[in-house]
Amino acid sequence: MDDHRTLLLNPEDVSANARMGELIDALEDAFAAYERDNAQMPAKSYIDLPQYNGDFRSMPAYLRVEESALDETGWDAAGIKWVNVHTDNNADYDLPTVLGTMIYSDPRNAYPLAIMDGRALTMKRTGAAAAVATDHLAVDDASSLGIVGAGVQAYTQLEAISTVRDIDTVVISDLDDERVGRFVETFADRFDVRGGSVDEAAGCDVLSTVTPVESPIVSTAGDHTHVNAMGADAAGKHELADQLLLDAKLVIDDYEQCTHSGEINVPYAAGTLTDDDIYAEIGEIVVGAKEGRTDDDRLTVFDSTGLAIQDVAAAHVVYEHATENDNGTPFDFYGL
């Protein structure tokens, strides 16, 4: 690409260049960099707009990766995601509830290398984050995956987790039968996939929950299930029963975000769950400071709020491949 060009990447460009295996490696790099203090990630900031029944969220980060499966020489990257939740968008404006824009910048000089769709990026990196946790916390021979919530996030959960485990059976649970049907139809040629109850999904070797509920819908799980709790991203959201959390080896992505807005935020605020109940942050396991699953573990839970370092790591993968493949639209942003 010519110097001083910003690459505009639409959802199709992002999806085409977000190779899942490499995203998983990149997110593992990001978790490790964060644990080793090789990343900067200011707290997610919010602008609340009740007059529009919505809000904005800004998620900036920088990370430096010294050892990587992606690049033996290491890499660094910076960026910010500007994302929203406007619940009236679909009805009032024919727009998605959640939009998102990722600005990916050169940390050497701050030039915006790419502006890309944040929705596709978020879906891909959220699946990849679950895959990193699954790889460290699920039983090695996991072959069944349950998913609660058949929205857009469910698709990348299956795509990513089947990359790190040999999944052959999938149980998808949702109150909307049409969404279940679409999911089953999409994957019927690759997996033994069917609709089922929440309890049936929770009985699988791996369970991913991707709903926005504020009252727990999962109260039990299988004898050796690993759970990816992906849905909670704001105070008050809560998918898993308190006792299930207390019974599990509990791993989180980030202490500040999880205690404020992750799966554990409600029982933590109530004092039902305390710091003593948190086993580790995922970065500690990735770098080997703490063990992942052991033979003594029955239930494991990963509380994922979604971190800005994940967006930057995923944007790095997308940008590198987009430039290789001559995808996207180059734009002379500053007229230089």
Side-chain angles (χ1 to χ4, degrees), residues 39-275:
Q40 297 180 51
M41 187 177 66
K44 183 189 300 185
S45 63
Y46 292 80
I47 297 176
D48 192 28
L49 300 170
Q51 68 272 35
Y52 300 120
N53 204 12
D55 64 60
F56 286 112
R57 309 166 190 196
S58 63
M59 301 174 64
Y62 164 80
L63 65 151
R64 184 180 77 255
V65 175
E66 297 172 342
E67 299 178 9
S68 171
L70 292 174
D71 185 342
E72 292 181 358
T73 63
W75 53 276
D76 69 346
I80 183 169
K81 186 170 74 174
W82 180 241
V83 65
N84 75 293
V85 177
H86 281 60
T87 56
D88 297 334
N89 262 8
N90 187 258
D92 293 350
Y93 301 103
D94 195 27
L95 288 171
T97 299
V98 177
L99 298 169
T101 303
M102 183 72 192
I103 302 174
Y104 179 70
S105 301
D106 188 333
R108 298 172 301 174
N109 53 30
Y111 195 85
L113 298 172
I115 298 175
M116 62 185 74
D117 170 58
R119 295 179 72 229
L121 190 77
T122 299
M123 287 188 286
K124 292 283 189 175
R125 66 82 152 143
T126 302
V132 172
T134 299
D135 203 24
H136 288 278
L137 294 169
V139 293
D140 289 339
D141 61 350
S143 62
S144 59
L145 171 64
I147 305 175
V148 178
V152 293
Q153 293 285 359
Y155 292 76
T156 52
Q157 289 294 303
L158 178 50
E159 178 189 0
I161 290 170
S162 62
T163 302
V164 299
R165 288 295 185 273
D166 189 14
I167 300 297
D168 55 39
T169 302
V170 182
V171 179
I172 180 77
S173 181
D174 194 287
L175 296 175
D176 188 328
D177 290 339
E178 289 188 7
R179 296 208 302 182
V180 170
R182 286 195 296 270
F183 185 92
V184 170
E185 183 178 359
T186 299
F187 293 105
D189 61 338
R190 295 173 51 196
F191 302 94
D192 177 8
V193 54
R194 64 178 178 83
S197 67
V198 170
D199 286 348
E200 288 173 308
C204 293
D205 298 326
V206 181
L207 170 68
S208 287
T209 58
V210 282
T211 74
V213 299
E214 296 188 357
S215 181
I217 53 176
V218 179
S219 57
T220 62
D223 287 339
H224 58 266
T225 300
H226 166 64
V227 183
N228 296 303
M230 312 301 291
D233 62 354
K237 292 187 177 182
H238 191 18
E239 297 182 293
L240 310 181
D242 291 352
Q243 193 59 52
L244 189 150
L245 291 169
L246 293 170
D247 289 343
K249 174 183 272 188
L250 179 59
V251 178
I252 62 179
D253 62 4
D254 175 70
Y255 178 83
E256 293 299 329
Q257 284 196 189
C258 286
T259 54
H260 173 267
S261 57
E263 177 55 37
I264 65 172
N265 83 89
V266 174
Y268 188 87
T272 303
L273 185 149
T274 69
D275 290 350

Side-chain angles (χ1 to χ4, degrees), residues 285-299:
I285 295 175
V286 166
V287 302
K290 290 191 176 180
E291 286 188 286
R293 176 172 282 273
T294 68
D295 292 339
D296 295 330
D297 292 326
R298 186 187 71 83
L299 177 66

